[in-house]
């Protein structure tokens, strides 16, 4: 790919559809390879690692943590009972079996494991208990209680953080399946629609968009994922939206837009991706959430507009999401690029209209209300310097000397018996 230009010049026809950088559901299509010290870096931030991991893996980690702690302290209690002589008829060193044991009713490893579970979970059946005979056993109970509290706190905190993540709020923020390009206020615009499926609001919602495509610099450096911002009105505040009902986001294709030199044919041959981002705070938790989606060049419909989704019914407004993704084709949409459209407008407006074209510039004509009345002729006095003829319901004006003459004529015609109509409709 050589000599690539962001304004549509020097394109190479694409041979292969590009892979998405951001999927339609917002997930980034990226994986990391050959990371040095990856395990150490992830373990250094173990809380974030647990929050980001999948639910099934998190449950496996916590289940393993509980089992390991129970088994470890169960083995420790078994060792204490064994060396104290509580497991046999005679203990180590000739201690009589009738001596008071360190842990009551622990006669083997299974009993020690059950005592470990009861201690860490604070079940307290009242059958097994530690005695004052062994200070080491008492210290082990204290340490296990502290370890159990730490594991419980970490587990509860991780589950709460994982459940309250604003990432899930993005599941109820909707992007249209396609983006469209059509004329709005005389300019070509790229548009897509966003919506909120919940009644709770997204506070301080704002949108961003970036165009991603391969780019070759003038020095020959190849950038596979060069990112360029698409202005959606952040300089005048139009990027901040009140997302109560679905809103159409508009990017005006002007001189600073990467799409400025792309027409309909160039768009079909282009190979780029537009990543759209919606950010805001969740009203319930005040946490920032971000919803993402993307549009390939093949998913941009030229000459289309979105169907309306908001309708007024009685004393409130109705949002019909069955029309959210639907578009309709707009006849007469220019197929040229915004640059060519702008140049053609400049050429047309470069020569001002002559002063004698007063009637045509105002696009007004005088027409009779009754098409069936008899034709008659209105004579204009010599002081107006011309005459008018009424033919087919249209008053034709000829041989006027100035705009003043025309205004004087219009003032003499009663306005209650005629109506106005655009010249293009005559």
């Amino acid at each position: 790919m050589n000599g690539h230009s962001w304004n549509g010049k020097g394109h190479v026809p694409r041979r292969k559809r590009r892979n998405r950088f951001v999927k339609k559901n917002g997930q980034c299509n990226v994986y990391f390879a050959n990371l040095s010290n990856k395990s150490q870096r992830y373990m250094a931030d173990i809380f974030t690692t647990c929050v980001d991991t999948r639910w099934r893996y998190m449950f496996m980690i916590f289940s393993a943590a509980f089992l390991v702690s129970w088994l470890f302290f169960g083995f420790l209690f078994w060792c204490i009972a064994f060396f104290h002589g509580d497991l046999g008829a005679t203990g180590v060193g000739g201690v009589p079996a009738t001596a008071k044991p360190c842990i009551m009713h622990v006669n083997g490893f299974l009993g020690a494991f059950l005592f470990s579970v009861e201690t860490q979970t604070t079940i307290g059946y009242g059958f097994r208990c530690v005695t004052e005979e062994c200070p080491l056993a008492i210290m082990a109970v204290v340490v296990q209680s502290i370890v159990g509290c730490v594991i419980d706190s970490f587990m509860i905190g991780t589950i709460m953080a994982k459940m309250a993540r604003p990432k899930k709020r993005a599941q109820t923020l909707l992007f249209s399946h396609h983006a469209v390009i059509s004329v709005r206020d005389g300019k070509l615009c790229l548009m897509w629609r966003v919506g909120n499926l919940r009644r709770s609001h997204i506070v301080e919602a704002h949108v961003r968009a970036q165009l991603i495509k391969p780019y070759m610099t003038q020095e020959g450096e190849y950038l596979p994922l060069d990112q360029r911002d698409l202005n959606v009105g952040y300089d005048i505040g139009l990027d901040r939206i009140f997302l109560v009902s679905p809103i159409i986001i508009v990017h005006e294709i002007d001189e600073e837009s990467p799409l400025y030199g792309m027409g309909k044919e160039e768009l079909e041959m282009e190979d780029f991706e537009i990543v759209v981002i919606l950010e805001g705070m969740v009203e319930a938790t005040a946490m920032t959430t971000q919803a993402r989606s993307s549009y390939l060049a093949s998913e941009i419909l030229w000459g289309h507009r979105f169907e309306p989704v908001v309708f007024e019914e009685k004393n409130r407004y109705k949002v019909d999401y069955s029309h959210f993704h639907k578009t309709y084709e707009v006849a007469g949409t220019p197929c040229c690029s915004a640059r060519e459209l702008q140049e053609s407008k400049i050429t047309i407006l470069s020569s001002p209209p002559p002063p004698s074209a007063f009637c045509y510039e105002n696009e007004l004509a005088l027409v009779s209300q009754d098409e069936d009345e008899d034709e008659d002729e209105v004579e204009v006095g010599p002081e107006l310097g011309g005459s008018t003829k009424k033919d087919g319901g249209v008053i034709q004006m000829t041989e006027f000397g100035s705009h003043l003459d025309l205004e004087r004529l219009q003032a003499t015609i009663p306005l209650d018996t005629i109506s106005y109509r655009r010249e293009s409709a005559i």
Side-chain angles (χ1 to χ4, degrees):
M1 182 176 183
N2 298 322
H4 177 79
S5 173
W6 278 93
N7 287 331
K9 299 296 184 180
H11 295 289
V12 178
R14 60 184 179 188
R15 300 177 182 177
K16 179 182 177 181
R17 181 185 296 270
R18 64 176 287 114
N19 294 322
R20 286 187 181 274
F21 186 63
V22 176
K23 298 180 181 180
K24 296 295 284 186
N25 59 1
Q27 295 181 356
C28 297
N29 190 22
V30 178
Y31 77 96
F32 304 105
N34 302 323
L35 290 178
S36 60
N37 302 324
K38 178 180 178 180
S39 301
Q40 297 178 6
R41 296 176 186 273
Y42 275 63
M43 291 301 296
D45 189 11
I46 185 63
F47 183 79
T48 304
T49 302
C50 291
V51 172
D52 289 341
T53 191
R54 297 179 180 272
W55 281 102
R56 55 180 177 268
Y57 298 138
M58 189 188 68
F59 285 133
M60 291 175 59
I61 292 173
F62 283 120
S63 299
F66 281 118
L67 287 175
V68 168
S69 64
W70 293 339
L71 289 172
F72 173 78
F73 284 101
F75 178 75
L76 181 60
F77 291 134
W78 179 84
C79 291
I80 293 174
F82 176 78
F83 287 104
H84 190 263
D86 300 339
L87 303 181
T90 57
V92 179
V95 179
T98 57
K100 190 175 183 179
C102 291
I103 305 173
M104 299 293 294
H105 304 289
V106 173
N107 300 320
F109 179 76
L110 185 59
F113 176 76
L114 292 176
F115 177 73
S116 173
V117 174
E118 293 176 16
T119 301
Q120 186 165 331
T121 57
T122 66
I123 294 177
Y125 289 119
F127 185 69
R128 297 177 181 88
C129 63
V130 66
T131 64
E132 65 275 9
E133 184 70 19
C134 298
L136 184 60
I138 297 174
M139 292 180 59
V141 170
V142 172
V143 172
Q144 185 178 13
S145 299
I146 296 175
V147 172
C149 290
V150 172
I151 296 177
D152 291 341
S153 301
F154 193 85
M155 180 190 68
I156 294 173
T158 304
I159 292 178
M160 289 298 298
K162 195 172 181 65
M163 292 179 61
R165 277 193 308 174
K167 181 179 179 180
K168 296 301 180 182
R169 181 64 174 88
Q171 303 298 324
T172 53
L173 298 175
L174 197 60
F175 292 89
S176 57
H177 291 162
H178 294 86
V180 299
I181 292 180
S182 62
V183 177
R184 174 174 283 195
D185 294 331
K187 299 180 180 179
L188 281 177
C189 296
L190 171 70
M191 293 172 284
W192 64 92
R193 184 146 59 187
V194 297
N196 180 16
L197 300 182
R198 289 188 179 273
R199 299 181 65 89
S200 59
H201 297 171
I202 296 296
V203 183
E204 294 293 332
H206 57 279
V207 293
R208 295 187 293 118
Q210 287 187 331
L211 188 143
I212 301 176
K213 66 183 300 184
Y215 176 64
M216 183 76 73
T217 64
Q218 297 179 357
E219 295 77 17
E221 180 183 5
Y222 177 73
L223 305 177
L225 294 173
D226 191 30
Q227 302 181 13
R228 297 293 177 92
D229 283 335
L230 297 181
N231 188 356
V232 291
Y234 56 82
D235 50 348
I236 56 177
L238 294 180
D239 62 323
R240 296 187 292 272
I241 58 177
F242 183 47
L243 194 58
V244 177
S245 62
I247 295 178
I248 297 177
I249 309 301
V250 179
H251 163 66
E252 182 181 315
I253 305 178
D254 54 11
E255 294 84 352
E256 298 180 356
S257 173
L259 306 175
Y260 187 59
M262 297 183 191
K264 183 177 180 180
E265 295 182 357
E266 292 82 1
L267 180 65
E268 295 175 353
M269 300 300 299
E270 272 296 334
D271 182 19
F272 63 82
E273 180 179 357
I274 295 178
V275 178
V276 293
I277 303 172
L278 172 62
E279 293 180 333
M281 291 189 300
V282 181
E283 187 179 30
T285 61
M287 300 178 69
T288 302
T289 184
Q290 183 182 91
R292 299 178 295 267
S293 187
S294 67
Y295 301 101
L296 299 178
S298 58
E299 296 172 340
I300 300 177
L301 304 179
W302 189 284
H304 283 242
R305 290 177 186 166
F306 288 104
E307 293 186 3
V309 296
V310 180
F311 306 94
E312 187 174 1
E313 288 189 357
K314 298 180 180 179
N315 57 346
R316 58 180 180 176
Y317 294 91
K318 171 187 174 182
V319 178
D320 188 356
Y321 273 96
S322 63
H323 299 272
F324 184 85
H325 301 288
K326 295 181 180 180
T327 64
Y328 63 94
E329 189 172 0
V330 181
T333 303
C335 297
C336 61
S337 64
R339 172 190 291 161
E340 296 171 346
L341 185 63
Q342 182 69 18
E343 290 175 353
S344 64
K345 283 187 176 181
I346 295 176
T347 303
I348 294 175
L349 298 178
S350 59
S351 56
S356 60
F358 175 82
C359 175
Y360 295 96
E361 287 299 315
N362 285 271
E363 293 187 355
L364 293 176
L366 298 175
V367 222
S368 174
Q369 289 183 344
D370 188 3
E371 297 288 343
D372 299 327
E373 67 180 1
D374 297 331
E375 298 181 359
D376 55 357
E377 184 173 348
V378 179
E379 297 291 343
V380 180
E383 67 276 7
L384 294 180
S387 63
T388 64
K389 294 182 180 180
K390 185 174 182 181
D391 186 10
V394 181
I395 298 181
Q396 301 177 351
M397 303 184 181
T398 59
E399 299 180 1
F400 288 104
S402 64
H403 294 169
L404 179 61
D405 296 339
L406 178 60
E407 293 175 358
R408 292 171 59 187
L409 173 63
Q410 292 176 346
T412 60
I413 300 177
L415 297 181
D416 55 346
T417 60
I418 54 178
S419 60
Y420 292 87
R421 185 167 74 183
R422 287 189 178 274
E423 179 186 344
S424 58
I426 297 176

